[in-house]
Amino acid sequence: LIADNSVSDYSELFRLLYDEVDNYSHGKVAECILAIAEGQYHDVNVVDKEINFISTILKIQEKIK
């Protein structure tokens, strides 16, 4: 979905993840917020922002398992 839509600014997606954290975190809100914050922090320094965003999604998935 991300690759097919040619997203170039991921800041809105990070914000959406934060705004909806209660809906997907399964009681692990703090861990998910930390993963989002880390991804957002790295976003300004990485060349391929898509890889960084997907990495953040994967970290969140690991935390809510």
Side-chain angles (χ1 to χ4, degrees):
L1 179 68
I2 301 298
D4 291 342
N5 288 310
S6 301
V7 176
S8 60
D9 181 16
Y10 288 86
S11 61
E12 290 181 23
L13 291 174
F14 282 113
R15 183 66 202 191
L16 178 65
L17 284 175
Y18 176 76
D19 288 343
E20 298 294 324
V21 73
D22 289 326
N23 296 328
Y24 64 81
S25 64
H26 306 294
K28 298 186 178 183
V29 175
E31 293 93 334
C32 291
I33 291 173
L34 289 172
I36 294 166
E38 181 182 350
Q40 218 174 10
Y41 173 77
H42 290 294
D43 188 61
V44 296
N45 296 316
V46 297
V47 175
D48 194 328
K49 295 180 183 305
E50 181 181 354
I51 292 172
N52 181 62
F53 183 76
I54 297 302
S55 171
T56 302
I57 296 294
L58 293 172
K59 288 176 186 174
I60 291 171
Q61 284 182 328
E62 285 179 356
K63 295 184 184 309
I64 61 177
K65 279 187 176 179

